Amino acid sequence: MSRIVYVNGHYRPYGEAAVHAEDRGFQFADAVYEVIEVRDGRLVDETRHMDRLARSLSAISVQPPMSRPALAHVLREVIRRNRVRHGTVYLQVSRGAAPRDFLFPTAGLQPTVVCLARASSQTVLDARAAEGISVVSIPDIRWGRCDIKTVMLLPACLAKTEARDSGAREAWLIDADGFVTEGASSNAWIVTGKGELVTRPASSAILSGVTRATLIDALAHERMQLAQRPFRLTEALAAKEAFITAASNIVMPVVRIDGAAIGDGRPGPVALRLRAVFHHIAERSSH
Ligand code: PDD
């Protein structure tokens, strides 16, 4: 079966789907995006993802390209046409195509909308979670508005490639004061030696993760306390547990940071419990 990509109102074969050479997303990273989990053919936490997309668009002064119901239809159609049961949907909205100019065009630009779906193996992800992943720490060289989900991802690409080259799956980004901001494409969490669950508060220094927000709801169900405060790399290295959250891997235990074992070097009970309960709490879309 061939893959289908949605581009500006058309469903095209993967190899033929294209945007304009002067698309501002391509020239200036003048675009925002969402990655949404697909589970059993349904979108996970669609409302929160669409709310965040609206916030990102508003932050860069791009009008929503279509109504929410229309966008919801595109997401479902891309999932359906690609027959994805488990995986992710990628949705990108750029300001549109115009002759290259730093200034935002004043009027008349149609945003470019691209939507793709990709299947992933639940078995592979679950096996990875059962083993846990390694992360490496890397200086956070990104800009001051990491709360906007833009496609300006070169720092994340560099960080993740460096992580891969040192045998790790994710990079934890460290700010100028030695605090962990977040993962290159995930939020970062630890369980301290005293059993305190900690994650950095939402601010312009991190992306306010949808998975993070839903996990905070799950904590209330589990009657677990959370401290939202910055934590240093040194505190993470001394932690009992560590994990990351993202739509692409939900709760993923971290068992090594910079080569040093976290806790006993195996996925911890808090991370595994939260991974197990997450989808009971998360919103599941209708078809
Ligand atoms: N990344 N922080 C960053 C920098 C991210 O890129 C992501 C997600 C997250 C987690 O957000 P959420 O829980 O809403 O997925 C945090 C996606 C998965 C990506 O770019 O592929």
Side-chain angles (χ1 to χ4, degrees):
M1 191 196 72
S2 61
R3 281 181 75 191
I4 299 294
V5 180
Y6 172 91
V7 184
N8 291 338
H10 302 280
Y11 294 90
R12 302 244 190 249
Y14 188 81
E16 292 165 27
V19 299
H20 196 278
E22 289 215 285
D23 193 273
R24 291 181 61 90
F26 177 54
Q27 290 184 334
F28 295 111
D30 189 0
V32 298
Y33 75 106
E34 284 296 324
V35 176
I36 311 174
E37 187 194 10
V38 179
R39 195 176 166 87
D40 293 322
R42 316 267 179 132
L43 293 157
V44 176
D45 281 329
E46 180 185 15
T47 307
R48 278 189 163 135
H49 282 285
M50 290 302 104
D51 287 348
R52 185 172 62 191
L53 178 69
R55 285 201 303 278
S56 295
L57 287 169
S58 160
I60 64 164
S61 305
V62 170
Q63 292 298 317
M66 60 182 94
S67 69
R68 270 208 192 202
L71 209 47
H73 176 75
V74 170
L75 295 171
R76 282 160 182 73
E77 205 46 31
V78 169
I79 294 169
R80 192 185 68 76
R81 290 186 188 227
N82 289 283
R83 294 187 200 161
V84 171
R85 286 206 59 69
H86 293 289
T88 50
V89 167
Y90 176 85
L91 174 67
Q92 178 174 330
V93 182
S94 86
R95 193 176 305 279
R100 187 175 182 275
D101 184 355
F102 286 90
L103 301 175
F104 294 165
T106 44
L109 215 58
Q110 259 315 105
T112 301
V113 182
V114 171
C115 186
L116 333 112
R118 182 192 277 181
S120 59
S121 157
Q122 206 63 32
T123 318
V124 168
L125 279 173
D126 285 344
R128 187 174 298 154
E131 262 193 19
I133 62 161
S134 297
V135 305
V136 291
S137 64
I138 290 176
D140 192 344
I141 57 166
R142 300 172 305 166
W143 71 328
R145 289 302 306 275
C146 294
D147 54 317
I148 311 173
K149 198 164 173 61
T150 77
V151 302
M152 198 171 63
L153 292 171
L154 198 50
C157 296
L158 288 167
K160 286 180 90 84
T161 302
E162 193 175 326
R164 195 262 326 265
D165 291 348
S166 37
R169 193 163 277 280
E170 176 61 307
W172 273 15
L173 307 177
I174 312 298
D175 71 15
D177 301 316
F179 292 99
V180 176
T181 49
E182 60 182 332
S185 64
S186 58
N187 290 118
W189 305 64
I190 57 169
V191 180
T192 67
K194 290 186 181 146
E196 187 187 33
L197 179 59
V198 185
T199 197
R200 187 168 174 131
S203 72
S204 56
I206 67 166
L207 182 76
S208 185
V210 166
T211 319
R212 175 188 183 281
T214 297
L215 201 65
I216 291 173
D217 290 349
L219 294 177
H221 276 256
E222 293 291 298
R223 297 179 197 286
M224 288 171 68
Q225 302 287 321
L226 170 67
Q228 292 196 49
R229 62 170 174 83
F231 59 89
R232 286 180 194 280
L233 179 61
T234 46
E235 192 176 9
L237 287 165
K240 267 206 284 220
E241 286 187 42
F243 59 92
I244 57 170
T245 54
S248 44
N249 54 38
I250 306 305
V251 177
M252 185 57 70
V254 169
V255 293
R256 282 184 182 274
I257 302 176
D258 292 338
I262 303 306
D264 62 5
R266 282 183 307 207
V270 173
L272 292 178
R273 172 76 191 154
L274 293 176
R275 183 175 174 83
V277 301
F278 182 87
H279 288 105
H280 299 306
I281 304 296
E283 179 196 45
R284 213 166 75 114
S285 73
S286 57
H287 278 304

